[in-house]
């Protein structure tokens, strides 16, 4: 196995070093050939400098600083272009999905072209739950995904997804930065091209620093899904 782990980062100076070190330490112990592809974007803090410092000390890290705002989706697209592993995974910079949980997802991939962790399957372990409003938003968004796009998955938004490189290479020219719905856009394209997608239980914890405005989020969610559905 050779693995590319993409970490998009926006103003994550408080956590990015511990997240990177946790992945370095875990996968070195597993004796897997891996790389960390870190993409700081639109950062107004010390995140890029921290990543650059770590990259100088650790050969497994490569990075690209994007000074303008491209969002999570734009950062991951750039990570896809830079990734060289036969398996590609992207994770959140806040380490909500720990390296051992990512490794478990990989080991449960079977013949799937994409395997993703779900917080809503039997066997999932949530060590720190989201506030009730965020859970309601998550479930509401899931219903919109099913009704608008017909993607019958329990959790499209958990922050760890593993892909075979050939699947990403096939759909990469069609991937767009869909804002709220970037993950869904990727899944929609994989499904459209006949790739096999699998959900597995995940161990996950909420990041209490995340902010969500329900009034602004729900219209943006719906608009993003409609863009995916009606784009030629």
């Amino acid at each position: 196995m050779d693995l590319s782990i993409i970490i998009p980062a926006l103003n994550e100076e408080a956590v990015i070093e511990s997240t990177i070190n946790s992945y370095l330490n875990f996968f070195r112990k597993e004796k897997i050939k891996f790389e960390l592809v870190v993409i700081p974007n639109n950062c107004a803090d010390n995140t890029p400098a921290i990543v650059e410092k770590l990259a100088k000390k650790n050969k497994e890290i490569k990075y690209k600083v994007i000074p303008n705002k491209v969002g999570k989706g734009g950062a991951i697209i750039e990570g896809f272009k830079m990734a060289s592993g036969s398996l590609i995974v992207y994770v959140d910079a806040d380490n909500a999905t720990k390296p051992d949980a990512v490794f478990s997802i990989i080991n449960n991939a079977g013949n799937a072209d994409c395997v993703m962790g779900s917080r809503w399957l039997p066997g999932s372990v949530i060590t720190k739950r989201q506030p009730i409003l965020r859970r309601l938003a998550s479930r509401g968004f899931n219903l919109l995904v099913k009704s608008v796009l017909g993607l019958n998955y329990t959790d499209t938004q958990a922050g760890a997804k593993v892909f075979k490189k050939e699947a990403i290479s096939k759909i990469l020219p069609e991937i767009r930065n869909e804002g709220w719905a970037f993950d869904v856009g990727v899944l929609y394209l994989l499904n459209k091209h006949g790739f096999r997608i699998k959900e597995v239980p995940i161990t996950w914890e909420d990041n209490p620093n995340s902010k969500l405005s329900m009034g602004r989020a729900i219209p943006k969610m719906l608009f993003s899904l409609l863009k995916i559905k009606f784009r030629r």
Side-chain angles (χ1 to χ4, degrees):
M1 182 197 307
D2 57 311
L3 177 66
S4 295
I5 303 165
I6 300 169
I7 307 177
L10 168 63
N11 295 334
E12 299 286 1
E13 66 177 9
V15 297
I16 190 65
E17 185 165 1
S18 62
T19 296
I20 288 173
N21 283 332
S22 71
Y23 275 89
L24 288 172
N25 293 335
F26 181 87
F27 284 102
R28 282 171 178 168
K29 288 179 182 177
E30 294 297 330
K31 294 181 169 49
I32 290 171
K33 182 182 178 184
F34 74 98
E35 63 180 6
L36 300 182
V37 184
V38 189
I39 313 292
N41 92 93
N42 196 39
C43 293
D45 66 1
N46 206 33
T47 300
I50 294 171
V51 172
E52 182 178 6
K53 178 193 72 173
L54 292 170
K56 289 178 179 178
K57 297 178 180 178
N58 300 279
K59 61 182 177 58
E60 297 95 340
I61 299 174
K62 57 185 181 183
Y63 70 98
K64 180 174 183 178
V65 176
I66 303 176
N68 54 305
K69 184 178 181 179
V70 297
K72 171 187 170 181
I76 293 172
I77 290 169
E78 193 59 40
F80 283 155
K81 294 175 183 178
M82 295 170 62
S84 60
S86 59
L87 290 179
I88 302 172
V89 56
Y90 60 79
V91 299
D92 293 332
D94 61 8
N95 217 10
T97 308
K98 299 292 189 288
D100 58 335
V102 172
F103 195 48
S104 176
I105 294 171
I106 293 168
N107 287 331
N108 283 283
N111 292 322
D113 300 296
C114 166
V115 58
M116 56 184 181
S118 170
R119 295 163 289 186
W120 300 97
L121 287 175
S124 296
V125 177
I126 309 301
T127 57
K128 184 184 294 182
R129 290 196 172 276
Q130 294 173 308
I132 185 64
L133 286 179
R134 286 184 64 86
R135 276 181 273 163
L136 288 172
S138 173
R139 293 298 81 205
F141 184 68
N142 187 252
L143 287 174
L144 288 174
V145 169
K146 290 178 178 179
S147 60
V148 175
L149 297 179
L151 296 177
N152 193 28
Y153 305 113
T154 66
D155 189 2
T156 58
Q157 300 307 109
K161 295 175 177 64
V162 180
F163 310 89
K164 290 182 179 177
K165 184 176 179 62
E166 55 263 35
I168 290 298
S169 297
K170 174 70 176 179
I171 69 170
L172 186 57
E174 299 178 59
I175 297 176
R176 300 292 181 268
N177 187 356
E178 305 288 0
W180 286 99
F182 174 77
D183 299 79
V184 178
V186 172
L187 296 174
Y188 183 79
L189 289 172
L190 290 170
N191 186 68
K192 170 186 168 183
H193 286 279
F195 290 108
R196 295 159 296 183
I197 302 171
K198 178 181 179 182
E199 282 189 291
V200 297
I202 197 173
T203 300
W204 184 89
E205 70 177 43
D206 181 47
N207 172 16
N209 295 318
S210 294
K211 295 178 175 65
L212 179 68
S213 169
M214 291 286 290
R216 288 180 295 174
I218 293 175
K220 287 181 178 179
M221 291 172 181
L222 178 58
F223 181 66
S224 295
L225 295 180
L226 291 173
K227 281 203 303 182
I228 293 170
K229 183 175 179 66
F230 293 109
R231 178 182 288 120
R232 292 183 180 179

